Amino acid sequence: MIDFEFRNPTKIVFGRGKEAQVGAEVAAVAKKILLHYGGGSIKDTGLFDRVAESLRVSGVEWIELGGVRPNPRLSLVREGVRLCKDNGLELVLAVGGGSVIDSAKAIAMGAVIDGDVWDFYMGRSEPSSALPVGTVLTIPAAGSESSTGTVITNEEGQLKRAVNSDLIYPRFSILDPELAFTLPPFQVACGAADILAHLMERYFSMVRHVDFTDRLLEATMKTVIQKAPLLLANPMDYEAWAEFMWAGTIAHNNLLNTGRIGDWASHDIEHEISGIYDVAHGAGLAVVFPAWMKHCLGQDPSRFAQWAGRVWNVDLDFWNAEATGREGIARLEAFYRSIGLGTRLADLGVGPDRLDEMASKCTNGDRRKIGNFVELDRAAVRAILELAR
Ligand code: NZQ
Ligand code: ZN
C-alpha cells in the first residue's frame, strides 16, 4: 500500500424528500445563486418547482440557466460564467446528473478569473479558487456529486477534457433515491456501466498489499451488478435505488482509491469517443473496458483471475489465471448486454474511419502515455480500439 492523504469534504444529505432541504443548505453559504440544470427532465418531474420553493422559503434569489446537454459544452459554461460575473452570484447549484454538475463546476472556476476557463482543461493553468457548488443529484452514475472532477467538451476541435481539483468538491450534495425513479432504462444501464468502470479503474492497480480496498471495490461492484437488473425490472424500487445511488457516490469519492493507484486509460479513450460521436459516457465505457481488459490481461493474469473469481463467481484457477480472467471478461460483456448495452464500437454507431485520429488525440500525438496498470502509447490505444470493433 502506498502513502496517501484522504479528505472528502462534500456533505451528503441522503434520503426521501431531502431536496426540501436545499434552500437551507444554500442559504448557509450564499444569498444569490445560479440555478443550473439540463434539458428539462427536472421540470417534467416537478423537481424544479420543489427546489424553487425551498430556495424561496430560505430567502435565496436565483438566476436560471438550463440547457446542459449530456457531454456538457463549453459554450454554455461561458454563458454561465458571464451570468455569475454580471450578477455577482455566489454559488452554483446543479440540479441534475454528472453533465449538469460538471458544467456547474466549470462555471464555478470560470466565475472567479479574468481569463478563459478552458485553459484549465488544456492544462495551461491551474485553478486557485472557485465559487462554491451545491448539487441535487438525479442520476447515480458519474459520481461528480462528491468528486474532484469536471469533464467538458469544447465544440471547437471536439475535445472532451477533464480538470481535477480539490477546489471543486461540492459543498453539499442532496441524494434522494426517489429522484431516480423517472430515469429511462438506457440511462440506468449507462449509470451502472459508469459506476462499474470507476471501480474497475481503481481495481486494476499494480500496487501490492491492497487487499482491504480490493474487498471494498469487489463489494461495491457486486452491489451494482445485483441492483441494476432489479432497477430495470422495477424502476420504483426505493431500497435498490438507495443502495445503487450510494454505491455510485462511494465508487468515485476517492475513498476506494486510498493507498493504491488507479488506471484511467479506459476513461481517457472513452472521452475521445464521446467527444467526437456524442455518445453516452456509460455506453462508451461498456465498449472500451472489455477491449482494454483483453489488451491488458497478460500484464497481471492473477489480478484478472481474482476479479473474475470474486466478482463474477468464475471458478478460481490460479494455475490457469489467464483463462479464468478471460471468462470474467466474457461475463462482464454478458452483463452489459443483459442490461441493454452494446459491447462493440458498431453498437455506438462508431465506424473504423476515425480510430487513428482518436488514438492520436488521446495520446497527444504520441507525446504522452495514458494508463498506469499498463502504460499505453498511440499504437496500444489504436490496438484497443481495434479490439472494440
Ligand atoms: O438533461 P435532462 O433533461 O435532465 O436529462 C438527462 C440526460 O438526458 C437524463 N436524466 C438525468 N436524471 C434524470 C433524467 N431523466 C429522467 N429522470 C431523471 N431523474 O439523463 C441524461 C443523462 O444525464 P447526464 O447528466 O449526462 O448523465 P451522467 O450523470 O451519466 O453524466 C455523464 C457526464 O459525466 C461525465 C461524463 O464524461 C459525462 O460527460 N463524468 C464526470 C465525472 C466527474 N465529474 O467526476 C466522472 C465520470 O467518469 C464521467 O467522465
Ligand atoms: Zn466515468
Side-chain angles (χ1 to χ4, degrees), residues 117-325:
V117 69
W118 185 247
D119 285 346
F120 298 142
Y121 291 82
M122 294 306 288
R124 291 191 279 257
S125 55
E126 285 192 4
S128 54
S129 68
L131 291 182
V133 171
T135 90
V136 179
L137 183 69
T138 62
I139 168 173
S144 188
E145 66 275 11
S146 74
S147 83
T148 55
T150 155
V151 193
I152 296 294
T153 298
N154 187 343
E155 300 91 320
E156 273 176 41
Q158 296 177 310
L159 279 178
K160 186 172 181 182
R161 291 290 177 266
V163 170
N164 280 288
S165 166
D166 286 359
L167 297 165
I168 50 174
Y169 273 121
R171 288 290 173 99
F172 66 85
S173 282
I174 297 184
L175 275 57
D176 174 359
E178 274 188 357
L179 298 180
F181 286 4
T182 52
L183 277 169
F186 175 67
Q187 292 298 338
V188 178
C190 288
D194 196 15
I195 298 169
L196 264 188
H198 296 159
L199 297 161
M200 296 187 299
E201 295 279 21
R202 291 174 166 92
Y203 194 83
F204 290 95
S205 173
M206 291 304 286
V207 178
R208 295 287 175 249
H209 307 293
V210 287
D211 300 334
F212 170 58
T213 41
D214 273 0
R215 294 290 189 181
L216 293 176
L217 286 158
E218 289 155 7
T220 318
M221 283 187 246
K222 286 182 93 92
T223 301
V224 174
I225 293 160
Q226 190 209 5
K227 303 302 172 198
L230 299 180
L231 297 171
L232 290 168
N234 177 10
M236 311 247 293
D237 183 342
Y238 177 88
E239 296 300 343
W241 272 122
E243 296 204 61
F244 188 84
M245 187 174 257
W246 188 224
T249 301
I250 294 294
H252 204 44
N253 79 347
N254 274 339
L255 174 69
L256 304 186
N257 230 34
T258 45
R260 55 199 296 147
I261 298 170
D263 184 72
W264 301 103
S266 298
H267 265 73
D268 285 344
I269 297 171
E270 195 294 315
H271 287 165
E272 297 307 331
I273 298 174
S274 47
I276 295 178
Y277 294 95
D278 201 16
V279 302
H281 173 61
L285 287 166
V287 169
V288 173
F289 232 113
W292 175 87
M293 288 180 161
K294 288 169 197 166
H295 184 85
C296 297
L297 177 59
Q299 173 76 11
D300 185 356
S302 62
R303 174 139 288 268
F304 279 90
Q306 175 182 299
W307 169 77
R310 292 183 185 173
V311 177
W312 296 103
N313 307 319
V314 179
D315 288 339
L316 256 180
D317 180 358
F318 282 109
W319 295 108
N320 286 301
E322 202 154 323
T324 309

